[in-house]
Amino acid sequence: MLQSKLLIPTLRDAPSEADVVSHQLMLRAGLIRPLAAGIYTYLPLGWRVLRKVSSIIREEMDRIGAQEMLMPAMQPAELWQQSGRYSLYGPELVRLYDRHNREFALGPTHEEVITSLIRDEVNSYRKLPMILYQIQTKFRDERRPRYGLLRGREFMMKDAYSFDADWESLDDTYRNVYYAYTRIFDRCGLTYRVVEADAGTIGGEGETHEFMALADIGEDTVAVCSHCSYSANLETAYTRHGASPAEARTVPKPEKIHTPGVRTIDQLTASLDIEAGHILKTLIYMADGRPVAVIVRGDHEVNETKLKNALRANHIELANEEIVRQHTGAPIGFAGPVGLSLPLWIDQEAAIIESGVAGANEPNYHLRYVVPGRDFPLEHIGDYRNVTEGDSCPHCEGTFKFYRGIEVGHVFKLGTKYSAALGAGFLNAAGRENPVIMGCYGIGVSRILSAVIEQNHDDGGILWPMAIAPFHVHLIPVSVQDPVQRGLAEKLYYRLQAEGMEVLMDDREERPGVKFKDSDLIGIPIRIVVGKQAGEGLVEIKERGQAAAEVIGYEDVVTHVLGRMKS
Amino acid sequence: MLQSKLLIPTLRDAPSEADVVSHQLMLRAGLIRPLAAGIYTYLPLGWRVLRKVSSIIREEMDRIGAQEMLMPAMQPAELWQQSGRYSLYGPELVRLYDRHNREFALGPTHEEVITSLIRDEVNSYRKLPMILYQIQTKFRDERRPRYGLLRGREFMMKDAYSFDADWESLDDTYRNVYYAYTRIFDRCGLTYRVVEADAGTIGGEGETHEFMALADIGEDTVAVCSHCSYSANLETAYTRHGASPAEARTVPKPEKIHTPGVRTIDQLTASLDIEAGHILKTLIYMADGRPVAVIVRGDHEVNETKLKNALRANHIELANEEIVRQHTGAPIGFAGPVGLSLPLWIDQEAAIIESGVAGANEPNYHLRYVVPGRDFPLEHIGDYRNVTEGDSCPHCEGTFKFYRGIEVGHVFKLGTKYSAALGAGFLNAAGRENPVIMGCYGIGVSRILSAVIEQNHDDGGILWPMAIAPFHVHLIPVSVQDPVQRGLAEKLYYRLQAEGMEVLMDDREERPGVKFKDSDLIGIPIRIVVGKQAGEGLVEIKERGQAAAEVIGYEDVVTHVLGRMKS
């Protein structure tokens, strides 16, 4: 296409609202424009990339026999009430009323719709297994939309749903989708890790993995074993359980110490000259409105996902000052397990502290010589903490290293959560009715653009991987006024296109500096410059990441480009 | 693909909610399923057709240099307030509030979004002309969703917007889109008429045409000249103005006649033994809340579009009984122009009635010998009526014939309506700021499916045109248990696919009758049956519309199919 007519509004500087590189470059390169917070228009260049990503997804999903379809965005609220998610989803679910005052949700995901469809239309094991998918605009009213397409309120997703007759069959289906996903992300040129994950709001009984594109701005932390293949989202990563309790040693009775104003772990370690690992950090949480106490080692962080799952709660949050005072008799900072009349949830590493320091449930006092099991009951012991870098892998002798990741894909074994709730059964070969076994699988299509740019850019702009680049070749006549340059460029323009290549020709009357800067910014993989040597039939060719160009004869251009496209 | 695994839930009978053939067949052939009134899921077969229609649209839009993009569905209410459409659109606009209580509309169309984008991003004539388009799910909360995809609340549209520096350039752009549309509808296999139309809510200053697929269930009436190329939507069709007033003749003064209970034109013609053409039918309308009287001949119907445009009103409706009584002193049925103290809007054909009958503005009385201009002032004469079949073409000696049409496309010259309202200007070659001249262009993508099926079906089901058929070939082994039949069918299945054909193989263990009935219903253009003669290497081939099949050797199948695909 001709750049003079294409809507590519490049910007010299990034708008101030963009604080990560991918967002800045997407705005600067004219890929997207905001319409409202977390809501973007895809301009022609961004849309071309999105369409290429979608094509790759379609090819790989079709390859495993998945069937494409399209479900509505507007979903009757009743469906969500049947599954129980209408209240669970909270303010992230976009809700609206139609003219008859009937309530609808704008789909952030489609488990309810597809399950009710399958309930009505598929009744026999003969039709199973079946995978259905769609590529669609989704809606989620994020509390803090940010990072451009990374966390938007209207975004593009590929969601797939599988239906199997039994769990063994689901294992196969899951594996097929899993490997289709690896091919999709490989083809998009992403560096990623597949990690064990938590099922979150979607729920489910079985396995779940996330595909994490590694990037510093990633909102997730990924723990990766230095040795074996174990990697997991920090939410769910677990470590080998530490040493068993040291052999019993006589520890004095708990002793109150005056700690005026000492409310944090740091203050406590400094004022008492102890290690954080000897502190029994006690936090009061509200779990679905009921208070509980959680005890972890002072150098550990509570893992709210694990805690929530252990509590079987829908929602947990730290208790406010008022509730803490009410239950501990002290302001925040002085809670401890001794004498506390709340359910105690003790992390397994805290439970084996030989002699610890804890809050005294009294303003400005702590206790030392606190022995778990002796001075407070070990009611609910479990793994309620985040692993830390250096912790031991649970499967081998390796230790954890942490990375930041952008979740670009997610696969779940849902089991019968939705089919049971919505009554989606089928007759098995023996003629007996069973609930269908489901899986669900998502890819953040628009999010892939952000992840790819985070991983593929330099100071000048984007470096698109060939497979999803908006064009293959950027053809730049240095001076379009020069008839020789223009003539040769046009000849190449048509010739390359005749070979099936997608060519953007910069036919603008701009200074060379502007053209080259824009070209670096847009990041088309191969650049061909038609300049002063055009009279001799020579042009410059260069890949976006390369420093130096190569001068070649114009007859060799097609061969060169084909060679570089394949490599 | 293998039919045993594909989700094609065919139905023997049409669900009772479907009252037109295309809706019935779409449900029966497993193309769509309803989720709520006017909201449908596209099942795999329906989605395949929709994707083919979309591809044709993309090819033809790209061919005229249009650039594809994607704008958000969620649009800030402020934008719609700026254009003035937020209140005008009424309850058809789906509205919602986000978690911060900001108001949004779900886009039924995108003039506001694109105009504000162009305002911000395009500032020079050098970028013009420009055409941008998208294929997208739209939302319109129809009062009476019906006819399946014909009038839905969530539907797929291709909307395009053009930006030109002057009206002459818009003429070219408009013509380019117009002809792209004819190619699109031709390729989709539609029988249609391009008609002059009314701009409706979108507004605009210039030309506008509708592309009407002819079908008895069409919601629009199209007047087509028997002789020349003039055709127009009934909303906007006009006719040659009738004869000038007959030469002055002495007509007696108006005379009151007792007409107890005579309130309709039919009753009046019967009781007075006169022709409807001699009656001055008088209707009271409310135009943006103000009452007006409209006078048309008794055998004519008021054209509310023409009337609304003439009144420059946003909204008109017939006045209710109370308002009629208040202004005429009589119940509905006795209004007349004589002595009426309301603005009078007189259709040009009514204005030349020599001596007419009209209501007397008194219960149970009419007047005869009413002479327009003598007995009531000819305040606003104009064309306020629907043309009728047989009326004269305004351009030639032909007369009108009426058809019913489904609006599948619409092209508008918008002019500066939106660019002026939203401040979208550009610098022309002389460096002066001008508002950009816009056009907008829509295609009802999902609606095309309904229109095609209305035009292409028989008692057995759908007859898809090859270009948009979900598959090219339906391959049916009569008995999949028979290894010879199955073997030959599979061989053909792979061979045809290797030639690039899309093949659906009915590998189900169903009775032949069921398979053939489903095949007719689904309507794939070419059917190949592998039956008893498989052992001799013979198969039956037949096009969906043909009565008799041809027996051919299996080596000839590829050639045959290719031949039929091209024809």
Side-chain angles (χ1 to χ4, degrees):
Chain A
M1 294 198 74
L2 300 180
Q3 202 164 340
S4 64
K5 293 301 175 198
L6 201 57
L7 182 61
I8 316 179
T10 55
L11 303 171
R12 194 160 308 180
D13 301 305
S16 58
E17 80 255 26
D19 46 9
V20 300
V21 123
S22 55
H23 189 193
Q24 290 167 352
L25 287 175
M26 269 189 266
L27 292 169
R28 287 187 55 210
L31 302 175
I32 58 170
R33 283 295 180 267
L35 179 63
I39 299 177
Y40 291 89
T41 292
Y42 301 96
L43 300 182
L45 224 50
W47 183 242
R48 288 180 74 96
V49 179
L50 212 57
R51 292 247 303 148
K52 293 203 176 183
V53 172
S54 302
S55 291
I56 290 173
I57 293 173
R58 285 199 170 97
E59 283 174 29
E60 296 299 342
M61 293 304 293
D62 291 349
R63 194 197 297 272
I64 59 169
Q67 304 172 36
E68 189 174 352
M69 63 183 309
L70 185 70
M71 288 177 276
M74 276 179 73
Q75 306 180 6
E78 294 86 45
L79 263 181
W80 283 71
Q81 282 152 354
Q82 277 180 49
S83 74
R85 286 207 294 178
Y86 201 62
S87 50
L88 278 185
Y89 229 90
E92 290 194 356
L93 190 65
V94 179
R95 292 148 210 253
L96 61 90
Y97 291 88
D98 75 359
R99 67 195 296 157
H100 305 297
N101 223 27
R102 273 188 223 103
E103 199 165 2
F104 285 84
L106 289 186
T109 168
H110 280 67
E111 282 79 7
E112 285 81 359
V113 177
I114 195 111
T115 309
S116 69
L117 177 79
I118 293 299
R119 173 193 61 205
D120 297 341
E121 308 298 348
V122 175
N123 305 307
S124 159
Y125 73 98
R126 289 178 200 272
K127 277 283 177 194
L128 306 180
M130 185 181 275
I131 309 174
L132 294 161
Y133 78 98
Q134 58 178 356
I135 297 177
Q136 191 191 39
T137 296
K138 304 284 195 206
F139 302 86
R140 191 157 54 205
D141 201 356
E142 294 282 351
R143 196 167 54 87
R144 272 189 64 203
R146 57 180 172 155
Y147 294 173
L149 303 187
L150 267 192
R151 194 159 284 281
R153 299 199 289 171
E154 179 173 338
F155 53 97
M156 193 155 298
M157 229 179 101
K158 190 283 302 176
D159 46 331
Y161 307 88
S162 69
F163 304 88
D164 283 276
D166 54 48
W167 279 92
E168 292 67 39
S169 174
L170 172 59
D171 289 344
D172 288 342
T173 301
Y174 187 85
R175 199 176 308 118
N176 285 341
V177 179
Y178 183 110
Y179 286 111
Y181 274 31
T182 63
R183 287 190 297 271
I184 289 165
F185 297 124
D186 286 344
R187 289 179 62 184
C188 289
L190 281 172
T191 304
Y192 62 95
R193 287 269 183 174
V194 192
V195 306
E196 292 179 7
D198 180 72
T201 330
I202 304 238
E205 303 156 21
E207 225 174 334
T208 166
H209 287 92
E210 286 168 348
F211 292 74
M212 289 286 188
L214 302 183
D216 290 342
I217 62 150
E219 296 183 305
D220 289 89
T221 300
V222 175
V224 176
C225 174
S226 60
H227 189 64
C228 76
S229 68
Y230 179 72
S231 39
N233 193 313
L234 185 60
E235 283 185 349
T236 190
Y238 64 104
T239 175
R240 189 194 310 278
H241 186 20
S244 42
E247 49 194 86
R249 179 168 76 83
T250 312
V251 178
K253 289 215 156 157
E255 179 183 303
K256 216 187 270 186
I257 36 180
H258 193 213
T259 50
V262 173
R263 303 168 65 139
T264 68
I265 299 295
D266 283 350
Q267 291 167 342
L268 207 54
T269 55
S271 82
L272 300 187
D273 192 23
I274 54 169
E275 286 182 16
H278 292 131
I279 298 171
L280 291 152
K281 181 161 69 177
T282 306
L283 298 162
I284 314 299
Y285 270 89
M286 298 302 287
D288 292 340
R290 288 169 299 108
V292 298
V294 184
I295 298 107
V296 296
R297 260 172 40 182
D299 57 342
H300 287 162
E301 298 296 331
V302 172
N303 180 310
E304 297 192 349
T305 303
K306 293 178 182 175
L307 179 64
K308 194 171 85 166
N309 290 343
L311 286 162
R312 295 175 190 279
N314 290 319
H315 182 73
I316 64 168
E317 59 182 345
L318 275 171
N320 61 28
E321 179 88 30
E322 193 191 330
I323 292 170
V324 171
R325 275 181 189 276
Q326 183 188 329
H327 290 280
T328 67
I332 286 173
F334 301 98
V338 181
L340 194 61
S341 60
L342 283 178
L344 302 180
W345 293 73
I346 305 124
D347 181 70
Q348 57 196 8
E349 304 285 339
I352 56 170
I353 286 178
E354 216 182 331
S355 165
V357 170
N361 299 321
E362 189 180 330
N364 300 323
Y365 281 97
H366 280 80
L367 296 176
R368 67 177 153 204
Y369 307 136
V370 176
V371 179
R374 184 192 73 178
D375 301 320
F376 61 91
L378 298 174
E379 285 178 357
H380 306 281
I381 296 185
D383 176 3
Y384 311 132
R385 70 162 178 112
N386 286 337
V387 300
T388 60
E389 244 182 325
D391 269 350
S392 305
C393 172
H395 300 298
C396 75
E397 298 306 311
T399 54
F400 286 133
K401 206 168 149 29
F402 280 9
Y403 296 91
R404 304 294 292 176
I406 296 168
E407 185 194 330
V408 287
H410 206 151
V411 291
F412 290 98
K413 288 186 184 169
L414 280 176
T416 58
K417 180 181 156 93
Y418 293 93
S419 50
L422 295 160
F426 70 98
L427 295 181
N428 67 13
R432 217 186 314 264
E433 172 103 5
N434 276 321
V436 68
I437 314 287
M438 289 176 58
C440 75
Y441 315 90
I443 289 182
V445 184
S446 38
R447 190 179 266 191
I448 286 178
L449 269 65
S450 300
V452 166
I453 296 176
E454 284 294 332
Q455 293 184 353
N456 299 275
H457 67 268
D458 61 17
D459 289 346
I462 304 169
L463 284 83
W464 287 115
M466 184 63 81
I468 63 169
F471 292 91
H472 302 131
V473 176
H474 203 177
L475 180 61
I476 308 180
V478 174
S479 164
V480 287
Q481 299 287 17
D482 181 321
V484 178
Q485 289 185 29
R486 187 171 185 109
L488 186 61
E490 282 178 352
K491 196 186 280 185
L492 282 172
Y493 180 59
Y494 292 110
R495 225 172 118 182
L496 288 165
Q497 289 187 121
E499 296 285 337
M501 293 163 201
E502 298 168 13
V503 185
L504 179 67
M505 178 157 78
D506 191 349
D507 60 333
R508 298 175 302 163
E509 288 182 28
E510 293 280 5
R511 284 176 295 111
V514 171
K515 290 184 167 194
F516 294 143
K517 267 201 153 53
D518 275 352
S519 177
D520 281 348
L521 183 56
I522 294 171
I524 295 168
I526 299 172
R527 179 199 290 179
I528 297 171
V529 175
V530 180
K532 293 224 172 88
Q533 294 174 285
E536 304 149 55
L538 296 175
V539 302
E540 288 183 6
I541 186 166
K542 164 172 127 53
E543 283 172 40
R544 171 63 182 84
Q546 287 179 328
E550 192 178 345
V551 176
I552 60 173
Y554 85 94
E555 321 78 12
D556 300 327
V557 166
V558 169
T559 323
H560 262 261
V561 172
L562 281 175
R564 286 167 199 252
M565 280 180 67
K566 273 182 203 132
S567 68
Chain B
M1 296 198 71
L2 299 180
Q3 201 163 338
S4 63
K5 292 301 175 199
L6 200 56
L7 182 61
I8 316 178
T10 53
L11 302 173
R12 193 160 309 181
D13 301 304
S16 58
E17 79 257 27
D19 46 9
V20 299
V21 124
S22 55
H23 190 192
Q24 290 167 351
L25 287 175
M26 269 188 265
L27 292 168
R28 288 186 54 209
L31 302 175
I32 59 170
R33 282 295 180 266
L35 180 63
I39 299 176
Y40 292 88
T41 291
Y42 301 95
L43 300 181
L45 223 50
W47 183 242
R48 287 179 75 95
V49 179
L50 213 56
R51 294 249 300 147
K52 293 204 174 181
V53 172
S54 301
S55 291
I56 290 173
I57 293 173
R58 284 198 170 96
E59 283 174 29
E60 297 298 341
M61 292 305 292
D62 291 349
R63 193 197 298 270
I64 59 168
Q67 304 173 35
E68 189 173 352
M69 64 183 307
L70 184 70
M71 289 178 275
M74 276 180 72
Q75 307 180 5
E78 295 86 44
L79 263 182
W80 283 71
Q81 282 150 356
Q82 277 179 53
S83 74
R85 285 207 295 179
Y86 201 62
S87 49
L88 277 186
Y89 228 91
E92 290 194 356
L93 191 65
V94 180
R95 293 147 209 256
L96 61 92
Y97 291 88
D98 75 359
R99 67 195 296 155
H100 305 296
N101 222 29
R102 271 188 226 103
E103 199 167 1
F104 285 83
L106 289 186
T109 169
H110 280 67
E111 281 81 7
E112 284 82 0
V113 177
I114 195 109
T115 309
S116 69
L117 177 79
I118 293 300
R119 172 192 63 207
D120 296 342
E121 307 299 348
V122 174
N123 305 306
S124 158
Y125 73 98
R126 290 177 201 273
K127 276 284 178 194
L128 306 180
M130 183 181 276
I131 308 175
L132 294 161
Y133 77 97
Q134 58 179 354
I135 295 177
Q136 190 192 38
T137 297
K138 304 283 194 210
F139 302 87
R140 191 158 53 205
D141 200 356
E142 294 282 353
R143 195 166 54 87
R144 272 188 63 202
R146 58 179 172 155
Y147 295 172
L149 304 186
L150 267 191
R151 192 158 286 281
R153 299 199 289 172
E154 178 172 338
F155 53 97
M156 191 154 299
M157 230 179 98
K158 190 284 301 174
D159 47 329
Y161 306 89
S162 70
F163 304 89
D164 284 275
D166 53 47
W167 279 92
E168 291 66 41
S169 175
L170 172 59
D171 289 342
D172 288 342
T173 301
Y174 187 85
R175 199 176 307 118
N176 286 340
V177 180
Y178 183 110
Y179 287 110
Y181 274 33
T182 62
R183 286 190 296 272
I184 290 165
F185 298 124
D186 286 343
R187 288 180 63 184
C188 289
L190 280 173
T191 304
Y192 63 95
R193 286 270 181 172
V194 192
V195 306
E196 293 180 7
D198 181 72
T201 331
I202 304 237
E205 304 157 21
E207 225 174 336
T208 166
H209 287 92
E210 285 168 350
F211 293 74
M212 289 287 186
L214 303 185
D216 290 341
I217 62 149
E219 297 184 303
D220 288 89
T221 299
V222 175
V224 176
C225 174
S226 59
H227 188 65
C228 77
S229 68
Y230 178 72
S231 39
N233 193 313
L234 185 61
E235 283 185 349
T236 190
Y238 64 104
T239 176
R240 188 197 308 279
H241 186 16
S244 42
E247 49 195 83
R249 180 166 76 81
T250 313
V251 176
K253 291 211 157 164
E255 180 185 302
K256 213 188 272 185
I257 36 180
H258 192 216
T259 49
V262 173
R263 303 167 64 139
T264 68
I265 299 295
D266 283 349
Q267 291 167 341
L268 206 54
T269 55
S271 83
L272 300 187
D273 192 23
I274 54 169
E275 286 183 17
H278 291 130
I279 298 171
L280 291 152
K281 180 160 68 175
T282 306
L283 298 162
I284 313 299
Y285 270 89
M286 298 302 287
D288 291 341
R290 289 169 299 107
V292 296
V294 184
I295 298 107
V296 296
R297 258 172 42 181
D299 56 342
H300 288 161
E301 297 296 329
V302 172
N303 181 309
E304 296 191 350
T305 304
K306 293 178 182 177
L307 180 64
K308 193 172 85 165
N309 291 343
L311 286 161
R312 294 174 190 280
N314 289 319
H315 182 73
I316 64 169
E317 58 182 345
L318 274 172
N320 60 28
E321 178 90 28
E322 193 189 330
I323 292 169
V324 171
R325 275 182 190 276
Q326 183 186 330
H327 290 279
T328 68
I332 285 173
F334 300 98
V338 180
L340 194 62
S341 60
L342 283 176
L344 301 180
W345 294 74
I346 304 125
D347 181 71
Q348 56 196 10
E349 304 285 340
I352 56 168
I353 286 178
E354 214 181 333
S355 166
V357 170
N361 299 321
E362 190 182 329
N364 299 324
Y365 281 96
H366 279 78
L367 295 176
R368 68 177 150 201
Y369 307 136
V370 175
V371 180
R374 183 191 75 179
D375 301 320
F376 62 92
L378 298 175
E379 285 177 356
H380 307 281
I381 296 185
D383 176 3
Y384 310 133
R385 70 161 178 113
N386 285 336
V387 300
T388 59
E389 242 182 327
D391 269 348
S392 305
C393 172
H395 300 297
C396 76
E397 298 306 309
T399 54
F400 286 135
K401 206 168 148 31
F402 279 10
Y403 296 91
R404 304 294 293 177
I406 297 168
E407 185 192 331
V408 287
H410 206 153
V411 292
F412 289 99
K413 288 185 183 170
L414 280 175
T416 58
K417 180 181 156 94
Y418 293 92
S419 52
L422 295 160
F426 70 99
L427 295 180
N428 66 14
R432 219 187 311 265
E433 172 102 4
N434 276 321
V436 68
I437 313 287
M438 290 176 57
C440 75
Y441 315 89
I443 289 182
V445 184
S446 37
R447 188 179 269 193
I448 286 179
L449 269 65
S450 300
V452 167
I453 295 176
E454 284 294 331
Q455 293 184 353
N456 299 276
H457 68 267
D458 61 17
D459 288 346
I462 304 169
L463 283 82
W464 286 115
M466 184 64 80
I468 63 170
F471 292 91
H472 302 132
V473 176
H474 203 175
L475 180 61
I476 307 179
V478 174
S479 164
V480 289
Q481 298 288 18
D482 180 323
V484 179
Q485 288 184 29
R486 184 166 189 114
L488 186 62
E490 280 176 355
K491 195 186 279 184
L492 281 172
Y493 181 60
Y494 293 110
R495 227 174 119 182
L496 289 166
Q497 287 186 121
E499 296 285 337
M501 293 163 203
E502 299 168 11
V503 185
L504 179 67
M505 178 156 79
D506 191 349
D507 60 333
R508 297 176 302 163
E509 288 181 28
E510 292 280 4
R511 283 177 294 112
V514 170
K515 291 184 167 194
F516 294 143
K517 266 202 153 53
D518 275 354
S519 177
D520 281 348
L521 184 56
I522 294 170
I524 295 169
I526 298 173
R527 179 198 290 180
I528 298 172
V529 176
V530 181
K532 294 222 170 90
Q533 293 173 285
E536 304 148 57
L538 296 176
V539 303
E540 287 182 8
I541 185 166
K542 162 173 128 54
E543 284 172 40
R544 171 64 181 83
Q546 288 179 329
E550 193 178 346
V551 177
I552 60 173
Y554 86 93
E555 323 79 11
D556 300 327
V557 166
V558 168
T559 324
H560 263 260
V561 172
L562 281 176
R564 286 166 198 254
M565 281 180 70
K566 273 182 202 130
S567 65

